[in-house]
Amino acid sequence: MVYHMISGGPRAVAPFSHAVEVDGWVFITGQMPTDPAAPEAPLPDGIAAQTRRVVDNLRIVLNGIGLGLEHVTMARIYLTQFERDYAALNALWPSFFEPGKLPARTTVGVTALAVGALVEIDLVAKRP
């Protein structure tokens, strides 16, 4: 196994590696909508802005190990306001991927997330 911590990547909010790789599979830790350049800054307002920031952070981790969103096979999304934010998330989600090439996905409503976030996303990717 290879444990990755990405220089300049999102600040860890708990003890973890940004990603762990085994046999070409890469498991990316759930990312928060924090700004890596200003981790103490307020979170973006609303589900769309927070989702974009989370995906930007996931891209930083993926790019740091030579991968991109096109390598993602599975996404798990956690929402604190599921009923309110699910439709907005669904409207935005396809914009991050090539048409017709969406990863498998599970979306779950949760009672709370670290740093008061509305959304957290973790990924599974596969090296070509």
Side-chain angles (χ1 to χ4, degrees):
M1 286 191 285
V2 179
Y3 301 87
H4 299 281
M5 285 304 289
I6 308 306
S7 177
R11 182 174 78 187
V13 298
F16 57 70
S17 298
H18 281 127
V20 176
E21 186 168 354
V22 62
D23 295 331
W25 290 99
V26 184
F27 303 89
I28 295 96
T29 294
Q31 294 299 311
M32 310 310 296
T34 55
D35 182 346
E40 301 301 326
L43 299 180
D45 289 332
I47 190 63
Q50 285 199 20
T51 300
R52 284 186 195 97
R53 178 74 255 172
V54 168
V55 172
D56 287 346
N57 287 345
L58 290 164
R59 282 187 179 119
I60 290 168
V61 174
L62 286 163
N63 292 338
I65 56 176
L67 298 173
L69 288 174
E70 69 274 16
H71 299 106
V72 173
T73 62
M74 175 70 185
R76 282 179 295 247
I77 303 172
Y78 307 90
L79 298 174
T80 59
Q81 300 293 322
F82 190 92
E83 298 279 332
R84 183 191 72 192
D85 292 338
Y86 187 65
L89 171 77
N90 285 336
L92 181 60
W93 187 248
S95 70
F96 301 118
F97 300 94
E98 190 176 325
K101 295 191 176 180
L102 295 171
R105 186 184 111 183
T106 299
T107 306
V108 179
V110 297
T111 59
L113 292 168
V115 302
L118 298 173
V119 60
E120 178 175 354
I121 303 171
D122 67 67
L123 303 174
V124 178
K126 180 75 167 93
R127 283 207 183 270

